[in-house]
Amino acid sequence: MLKRTILFILLSYISVVCIDAQRRWVVTDEDLTVWDSPQYLNKLGMIH
């Protein structure tokens, strides 16, 4: 049972790492507006 739990945790971690590795962003604008969510609810600021 302990081996299965450790294996499950390890595989879950690897899955998350692989998914995060695919989420890379390249910004080519000079100014970037930073929002708090994908719905653009609150503007957090600007990055120049």
Side-chain angles (χ1 to χ4, degrees):
M1 181 70 178
L2 180 61
K3 287 182 182 181
R4 285 186 183 183
T5 304
I6 292 172
L7 183 59
F8 174 77
I9 293 170
L10 180 61
L11 291 176
S12 298
Y13 175 76
I14 291 171
S15 307
V16 170
V17 169
C18 290
I19 290 170
D20 281 345
Q22 295 174 0
R23 289 192 224 172
R24 302 288 178 180
W25 296 89
V26 176
V27 178
T28 57
D29 280 344
E30 292 181 19
D31 298 318
L32 175 68
T33 304
V34 181
W35 299 91
D36 69 337
S37 69
Q39 291 80 24
Y40 305 106
L41 298 176
N42 295 312
K43 183 176 176 181
L44 298 177
M46 298 284 295
I47 297 176
H48 303 285

